[in-house]
Every structure is written in C-alpha cells, then in structure tokens.
Amino acid sequence: MVLTLLFPIRCAGCGAEGVRSCARCLGAFGPPRRVPFPGSPVFTLADYAGAARELVLALKERGRRDLAAVFGALIAAALPVLPGMFPDESGNRWLVPAPSRRAAIRRRGGSHLVGVARASGARVAPALAYARGVRDSVGLDASARRANLGGRVRLVPAGLPPPGTSVVLLDDVVTTGATAAACTSMLLSAGLRVSAVMTLTAVRRGDTPG
Ligand SMILES: [Zn+2]
C-alpha cells in the first residue's frame, strides 16, 4: 500500500518499523507487581520509564489509539493473577477506568482508558468522571494534587455496576496515589468493593525530588 510506504507502521516505544509495539519494548511490561501505596492494593505492570513510558504517552498523548488493543491484552493477562480479584457469578471481571479531564477526552476523541478496558474483554463500568475545574496534575506535588482533586471526582450513576460488585480501578500512571485514592473512595461510597488498583505504569517513589 502506498500509504504504508509513506507512513510505515512504527513501534510507539522505539520507532522500529513494521510493528505497533515491538517485543523488546513490550518486554518492559511484566506481571502485576505491588507498589506501596496506602489504601486498596496498587499493582503496576511497569515503572513509568523508558519504553513503557513511551508506549503510555503514545496512547495517551500522541494519538496511538491502536495501542489500546496492546494494553488490553496486557490487562487481560494480568487480571486473573491479581490477588483477591475474583469474577462475579456470571464469570465477569469488572474494570472501572480512572477518569480523564474533559478537555483531554475531547482532544483524544474519547477516554483512552475506556478503550484499553474494552479491549481487555472485561466488563467496563465507566462510573467515574471529573467535575469541572480539575487542573492538569503535572507539576503539582502530592498535597497540591490532593487539593486539586478534593471533591472533584464524581460518580456517573449510569456507569455503575450492581452494588456489591467487586471492581478493579484501571489507571495509566500512578504517581502519588492521590487520584487512585479519590477514585477508590467514590467507588466505595457507591457500595462497590475495590479489590485492586491496576495501573499500566507507576512512577518509582524516590525518583522525583522530595
Ligand atoms: Zn519498540
């Protein structure tokens, strides 16, 4: 195809031609690994660094929506091995995607995390959104993030699974854990059980000053 010649498929992690994500870059993602945050157990598939960071940024900020299938497959493999994560009586596992800011959803043409959750084959409960006025958290420290988020994550009643359902919160990057904690408390307030937070990547604590 002419288009393929002009715009060859490239690995979003390293630029290698011919694949959307090469085996070497995908090797940055391992089985779920517990990271030390208070509250519901948080598991990550990779550190937010190197190829893993590039692939997440490509999905999130560079329009590589085709990577939703790649991440969906990683999540599908991870869910069954999460401790304490059991399917409901119909055999479904439930994912609640962390919310994105409205402007980001518009820019991306939808929530990238909803795309990943759908691609995983799990039941998707789009039950969380940001209220107006939430700033981008980039550059904010932990206490500023909490203040920015305070009261700003809201429930979307139409997206809620049945009360008592055990869900996993899905996020792309966990930095301070403030977003995950705000999301988890909203889900608990709706009568859900949050068995885990599953994130694609986590910023290694101690990597950033302070
Ligand atoms: Zn690569």
Side-chain angles (χ1 to χ4, degrees), residues 167-198:
V167 301
V168 170
L169 177 71
L170 175 67
D171 209 346
D172 48 18
V173 188
V174 168
T175 306
T176 63
T179 308
C183 292
T184 298
S185 64
M186 288 312 291
L187 296 173
L188 295 174
S189 77
L192 303 176
R193 286 180 291 181
V194 181
S195 47
V197 177
M198 175 87 263

mmCIF file of all heavy atoms in Angstrom, residues 167-198:
data_model
loop_
_atom_site.group_PDB
_atom_site.id
_atom_site.type_symbol
_atom_site.label_atom_id
_atom_site.label_comp_id
_atom_site.label_asym_id
_atom_site.label_seq_id
_atom_site.Cartn_x
_atom_site.Cartn_y
_atom_site.Cartn_z
ATOM 1 N N VAL A 167 -14.719 -4.588 41.934
ATOM 2 C CA VAL A 167 -14.169 -3.959 40.727
ATOM 3 C C VAL A 167 -12.674 -3.714 40.890
ATOM 4 O O VAL A 167 -12.145 -3.683 42.001
ATOM 5 C CB VAL A 167 -14.865 -2.606 40.419
ATOM 6 C CG1 VAL A 167 -16.363 -2.799 40.225
ATOM 7 C CG2 VAL A 167 -14.581 -1.575 41.517
ATOM 8 N N VAL A 168 -12.019 -3.531 39.752
ATOM 9 C CA VAL A 168 -10.627 -3.096 39.718
ATOM 10 C C VAL A 168 -10.602 -1.727 39.053
ATOM 11 O O VAL A 168 -11.194 -1.543 37.985
ATOM 12 C CB VAL A 168 -9.748 -4.095 38.929
ATOM 13 C CG1 VAL A 168 -8.357 -3.518 38.683
ATOM 14 C CG2 VAL A 168 -9.632 -5.413 39.684
ATOM 15 N N LEU A 169 -9.963 -0.769 39.710
ATOM 16 C CA LEU A 169 -9.777 0.549 39.123
ATOM 17 C C LEU A 169 -8.601 0.478 38.151
ATOM 18 O O LEU A 169 -7.537 -0.014 38.512
ATOM 19 C CB LEU A 169 -9.493 1.580 40.222
ATOM 20 C CG LEU A 169 -9.215 3.005 39.746
ATOM 21 C CD1 LEU A 169 -10.479 3.664 39.221
ATOM 22 C CD2 LEU A 169 -8.608 3.833 40.875
ATOM 23 N N LEU A 170 -8.801 0.969 36.928
ATOM 24 C CA LEU A 170 -7.747 0.921 35.908
ATOM 25 C C LEU A 170 -7.192 2.321 35.681
ATOM 26 O O LEU A 170 -7.943 3.250 35.404
ATOM 27 C CB LEU A 170 -8.320 0.375 34.589
ATOM 28 C CG LEU A 170 -7.357 0.370 33.392
ATOM 29 C CD1 LEU A 170 -6.217 -0.609 33.619
ATOM 30 C CD2 LEU A 170 -8.107 0.038 32.105
ATOM 31 N N ASP A 171 -5.864 2.461 35.774
ATOM 32 C CA ASP A 171 -5.237 3.763 35.519
ATOM 33 C C ASP A 171 -4.027 3.554 34.613
ATOM 34 O O ASP A 171 -3.599 2.413 34.386
ATOM 35 C CB ASP A 171 -4.838 4.417 36.848
ATOM 36 C CG ASP A 171 -4.854 5.942 36.757
ATOM 37 O OD1 ASP A 171 -4.901 6.485 35.643
ATOM 38 O OD2 ASP A 171 -4.803 6.600 37.817
ATOM 39 N N ASP A 172 -3.507 4.660 34.087
ATOM 40 C CA ASP A 172 -2.351 4.525 33.194
ATOM 41 C C ASP A 172 -1.029 4.820 33.902
ATOM 42 O O ASP A 172 -0.038 4.146 33.671
ATOM 43 C CB ASP A 172 -2.507 5.398 31.935
ATOM 44 C CG ASP A 172 -2.931 6.817 32.259
ATOM 45 O OD1 ASP A 172 -2.792 7.245 33.422
ATOM 46 O OD2 ASP A 172 -3.412 7.502 31.345
ATOM 47 N N VAL A 173 -1.045 5.847 34.759
ATOM 48 C CA VAL A 173 0.153 6.203 35.514
ATOM 49 C C VAL A 173 -0.270 6.523 36.938
ATOM 50 O O VAL A 173 -1.146 7.361 37.131
ATOM 51 C CB VAL A 173 0.854 7.460 34.944
ATOM 52 C CG1 VAL A 173 2.196 7.671 35.641
ATOM 53 C CG2 VAL A 173 1.049 7.364 33.457
ATOM 54 N N VAL A 174 0.312 5.864 37.903
ATOM 55 C CA VAL A 174 0.100 6.245 39.292
ATOM 56 C C VAL A 174 1.354 6.973 39.754
ATOM 57 O O VAL A 174 2.469 6.472 39.595
ATOM 58 C CB VAL A 174 -0.181 5.019 40.190
ATOM 59 C CG1 VAL A 174 -0.115 5.406 41.663
ATOM 60 C CG2 VAL A 174 -1.555 4.445 39.866
ATOM 61 N N THR A 175 1.156 8.184 40.264
ATOM 62 C CA THR A 175 2.297 8.991 40.688
ATOM 63 C C THR A 175 2.354 9.080 42.210
ATOM 64 O O THR A 175 3.218 8.495 42.848
ATOM 65 C CB THR A 175 2.224 10.401 40.074
ATOM 66 O OG1 THR A 175 2.098 10.279 38.654
ATOM 67 C CG2 THR A 175 3.471 11.189 40.393
ATOM 68 N N THR A 176 1.401 9.783 42.791
ATOM 69 C CA THR A 176 1.372 9.906 44.254
ATOM 70 C C THR A 176 0.323 8.996 44.866
ATOM 71 O O THR A 176 0.284 8.825 46.083
ATOM 72 C CB THR A 176 1.036 11.342 44.671
ATOM 73 O OG1 THR A 176 -0.290 11.648 44.198
ATOM 74 C CG2 THR A 176 2.011 12.326 44.073
ATOM 75 N N GLY A 177 -0.572 8.464 44.048
ATOM 76 C CA GLY A 177 -1.674 7.664 44.568
ATOM 77 C C GLY A 177 -2.892 8.502 44.922
ATOM 78 O O GLY A 177 -3.928 7.960 45.313
ATOM 79 N N ALA A 178 -2.790 9.836 44.768
ATOM 80 C CA ALA A 178 -3.905 10.709 45.165
ATOM 81 C C ALA A 178 -5.142 10.465 44.297
ATOM 82 O O ALA A 178 -6.262 10.397 44.806
ATOM 83 C CB ALA A 178 -3.484 12.173 45.090
ATOM 84 N N THR A 179 -4.952 10.336 43.002
ATOM 85 C CA THR A 179 -6.095 10.104 42.110
ATOM 86 C C THR A 179 -6.739 8.766 42.425
ATOM 87 O O THR A 179 -7.963 8.660 42.533
ATOM 88 C CB THR A 179 -5.638 10.114 40.634
ATOM 89 O OG1 THR A 179 -4.908 11.304 40.386
ATOM 90 C CG2 THR A 179 -6.829 10.041 39.698
ATOM 91 N N ALA A 180 -5.900 7.737 42.579
ATOM 92 C CA ALA A 180 -6.431 6.402 42.862
ATOM 93 C C ALA A 180 -7.218 6.405 44.166
ATOM 94 O O ALA A 180 -8.289 5.803 44.260
ATOM 95 C CB ALA A 180 -5.285 5.390 42.922
ATOM 96 N N ALA A 181 -6.706 7.124 45.180
ATOM 97 C CA ALA A 181 -7.395 7.169 46.466
ATOM 98 C C ALA A 181 -8.739 7.891 46.341
ATOM 99 O O ALA A 181 -9.750 7.450 46.907
ATOM 100 C CB ALA A 181 -6.512 7.860 47.504
ATOM 101 N N ALA A 182 -8.758 8.999 45.592
ATOM 102 C CA ALA A 182 -10.012 9.749 45.405
ATOM 103 C C ALA A 182 -11.034 8.886 44.653
ATOM 104 O O ALA A 182 -12.219 8.850 45.011
ATOM 105 C CB ALA A 182 -9.743 11.048 44.645
ATOM 106 N N CYS A 183 -10.563 8.184 43.636
ATOM 107 C CA CYS A 183 -11.466 7.321 42.845
ATOM 108 C C CYS A 183 -11.992 6.169 43.710
ATOM 109 O O CYS A 183 -13.181 5.844 43.681
ATOM 110 C CB CYS A 183 -10.732 6.757 41.645
ATOM 111 S SG CYS A 183 -10.308 7.987 40.416
ATOM 112 N N THR A 184 -11.083 5.559 44.461
ATOM 113 C CA THR A 184 -11.472 4.417 45.283
ATOM 114 C C THR A 184 -12.533 4.810 46.303
ATOM 115 O O THR A 184 -13.521 4.094 46.495
ATOM 116 C CB THR A 184 -10.229 3.851 45.997
ATOM 117 O OG1 THR A 184 -9.307 3.408 45.008
ATOM 118 C CG2 THR A 184 -10.588 2.681 46.887
ATOM 119 N N SER A 185 -12.353 5.972 46.940
ATOM 120 C CA SER A 185 -13.328 6.346 47.966
ATOM 121 C C SER A 185 -14.693 6.620 47.343
ATOM 122 O O SER A 185 -15.730 6.315 47.952
ATOM 123 C CB SER A 185 -12.825 7.518 48.811
ATOM 124 O OG SER A 185 -12.688 8.656 48.026
ATOM 125 N N MET A 186 -14.738 7.151 46.128
ATOM 126 C CA MET A 186 -16.038 7.349 45.466
ATOM 127 C C MET A 186 -16.699 6.001 45.161
ATOM 128 O O MET A 186 -17.907 5.831 45.334
ATOM 129 C CB MET A 186 -15.872 8.138 44.161
ATOM 130 C CG MET A 186 -15.548 9.598 44.332
ATOM 131 S SD MET A 186 -16.619 10.450 45.525
ATOM 132 C CE MET A 186 -18.178 10.435 44.660
ATOM 133 N N LEU A 187 -15.911 5.045 44.704
ATOM 134 C CA LEU A 187 -16.481 3.723 44.368
ATOM 135 C C LEU A 187 -16.986 3.021 45.626
ATOM 136 O O LEU A 187 -18.059 2.402 45.612
ATOM 137 C CB LEU A 187 -15.434 2.866 43.648
ATOM 138 C CG LEU A 187 -14.992 3.409 42.279
ATOM 139 C CD1 LEU A 187 -13.833 2.596 41.724
ATOM 140 C CD2 LEU A 187 -16.157 3.417 41.293
ATOM 141 N N LEU A 188 -16.229 3.147 46.713
ATOM 142 C CA LEU A 188 -16.674 2.550 47.976
ATOM 143 C C LEU A 188 -17.979 3.194 48.437
ATOM 144 O O LEU A 188 -18.885 2.524 48.936
ATOM 145 C CB LEU A 188 -15.595 2.701 49.051
ATOM 146 C CG LEU A 188 -14.283 1.948 48.808
ATOM 147 C CD1 LEU A 188 -13.251 2.304 49.883
ATOM 148 C CD2 LEU A 188 -14.519 0.441 48.774
ATOM 149 N N SER A 189 -18.087 4.518 48.220
ATOM 150 C CA SER A 189 -19.300 5.231 48.644
ATOM 151 C C SER A 189 -20.518 4.770 47.846
ATOM 152 O O SER A 189 -21.651 4.949 48.283
ATOM 153 C CB SER A 189 -19.106 6.748 48.498
ATOM 154 O OG SER A 189 -19.234 7.134 47.138
ATOM 155 N N ALA A 190 -20.278 4.196 46.678
ATOM 156 C CA ALA A 190 -21.383 3.683 45.855
ATOM 157 C C ALA A 190 -21.695 2.222 46.184
ATOM 158 O O ALA A 190 -22.496 1.580 45.505
ATOM 159 C CB ALA A 190 -21.031 3.812 44.368
ATOM 160 N N GLY A 191 -21.045 1.686 47.236
ATOM 161 C CA GLY A 191 -21.353 0.321 47.651
ATOM 162 C C GLY A 191 -20.608 -0.745 46.871
ATOM 163 O O GLY A 191 -20.962 -1.928 46.920
ATOM 164 N N LEU A 192 -19.558 -0.331 46.145
ATOM 165 C CA LEU A 192 -18.753 -1.322 45.414
ATOM 166 C C LEU A 192 -17.586 -1.773 46.266
ATOM 167 O O LEU A 192 -17.215 -1.107 47.230
ATOM 168 C CB LEU A 192 -18.227 -0.705 44.112
ATOM 169 C CG LEU A 192 -19.295 -0.163 43.178
ATOM 170 C CD1 LEU A 192 -18.649 0.507 41.978
ATOM 171 C CD2 LEU A 192 -20.223 -1.285 42.712
ATOM 172 N N ARG A 193 -17.019 -2.909 45.910
ATOM 173 C CA ARG A 193 -15.781 -3.348 46.542
ATOM 174 C C ARG A 193 -14.647 -3.104 45.553
ATOM 175 O O ARG A 193 -14.767 -3.490 44.380
ATOM 176 C CB ARG A 193 -15.870 -4.825 46.910
ATOM 177 C CG ARG A 193 -16.775 -5.062 48.125
ATOM 178 C CD ARG A 193 -16.857 -6.504 48.465
ATOM 179 N NE ARG A 193 -17.580 -7.233 47.440
ATOM 180 C CZ ARG A 193 -17.833 -8.525 47.480
ATOM 181 N NH1 ARG A 193 -17.383 -9.244 48.470
ATOM 182 N NH2 ARG A 193 -18.525 -9.105 46.530
ATOM 183 N N VAL A 194 -13.598 -2.451 46.007
ATOM 184 C CA VAL A 194 -12.456 -2.182 45.130
ATOM 185 C C VAL A 194 -11.360 -3.159 45.514
ATOM 186 O O VAL A 194 -10.686 -2.995 46.525
ATOM 187 C CB VAL A 194 -11.980 -0.722 45.260
ATOM 188 C CG1 VAL A 194 -10.814 -0.456 44.317
ATOM 189 C CG2 VAL A 194 -13.129 0.249 44.970
ATOM 190 N N SER A 195 -11.211 -4.220 44.707
ATOM 191 C CA SER A 195 -10.256 -5.245 45.110
ATOM 192 C C SER A 195 -8.827 -4.828 44.800
ATOM 193 O O SER A 195 -7.903 -5.293 45.467
ATOM 194 C CB SER A 195 -10.588 -6.587 44.458
ATOM 195 O OG SER A 195 -10.840 -6.429 43.105
ATOM 196 N N ALA A 196 -8.638 -3.961 43.823
ATOM 197 C CA ALA A 196 -7.286 -3.523 43.493
ATOM 198 C C ALA A 196 -7.338 -2.311 42.579
ATOM 199 O O ALA A 196 -8.355 -2.016 41.957
ATOM 200 C CB ALA A 196 -6.506 -4.648 42.800
ATOM 201 N N VAL A 197 -6.200 -1.621 42.540
ATOM 202 C CA VAL A 197 -5.955 -0.610 41.523
ATOM 203 C C VAL A 197 -4.916 -1.212 40.583
ATOM 204 O O VAL A 197 -3.866 -1.671 41.044
ATOM 205 C CB VAL A 197 -5.406 0.699 42.143
ATOM 206 C CG1 VAL A 197 -5.093 1.711 41.059
ATOM 207 C CG2 VAL A 197 -6.384 1.247 43.171
ATOM 208 N N MET A 198 -5.239 -1.254 39.300
ATOM 209 C CA MET A 198 -4.322 -1.821 38.300
ATOM 210 C C MET A 198 -3.853 -0.672 37.431
ATOM 211 O O MET A 198 -4.667 -0.019 36.772
ATOM 212 C CB MET A 198 -5.135 -2.839 37.477
ATOM 213 C CG MET A 198 -4.418 -3.476 36.308
ATOM 214 S SD MET A 198 -3.509 -4.934 36.824
ATOM 215 C CE MET A 198 -1.901 -4.202 37.037
#
